Amino acid sequence: MDGINERRSALGLPLAKLDSTLSSECLVQAKKMAEAGYTFHSEWPTGCEGVAKVPYNFPADLLGDMMCSHVADFTYEATTKIGVAVVRSGNSLFAVVQGIA
């Protein structure tokens, strides 16, 4: 979340707020990916979505910045709510971030 808001702040955008409902949806998807061992998008995401598989020791702020780099919707002014979930499986983290207006 910090990496996303750092990027938003640098662009002069308001900070996004963490949304517990979106985070719950992200957790379901992160668990599915961890179980499968690879990344894939939700069948019907609520809004924009970024997914990633990174090493266990990957810096959290870089993960948020990486999500913004790959999903431009996180830096849209209208995207004001963000959901985040990360699940560990072995030496990997499976991350899901979703954003909505």
Side-chain angles (χ1 to χ4, degrees):
M1 185 76 190
D2 289 343
I4 291 172
N5 273 333
E6 285 173 16
R7 174 74 66 98
R8 290 177 63 84
S9 179
L11 294 170
L13 299 171
L15 300 182
K17 304 280 187 219
L18 186 63
D19 183 275
S20 61
T21 301
L22 277 180
S23 292
S24 294
E25 291 178 26
C26 292
L27 182 58
V28 169
Q29 182 63 16
K31 286 179 178 179
K32 288 180 185 178
M33 294 186 322
E35 200 172 283
Y38 61 91
T39 61
F40 53 93
H41 288 280
S42 301
E43 189 171 336
W44 301 105
T46 302
C48 60
E49 179 180 68
V51 298
K53 178 183 177 184
V54 297
Y56 171 70
N57 60 351
F58 198 82
D61 58 335
L62 291 179
L63 181 58
D65 194 52
M66 182 178 79
M67 292 292 197
C68 285
S69 297
H70 294 291
V71 183
D73 295 35
F74 292 125
T75 57
Y76 290 173
E77 188 168 357
T79 304
T80 58
K81 297 178 186 174
I82 301 285
V84 178
V86 179
V87 171
R88 180 180 180 184
S89 179
N91 290 323
S92 297
L93 298 177
F94 291 85
V96 179
V97 180
Q98 292 182 356
I100 60 172

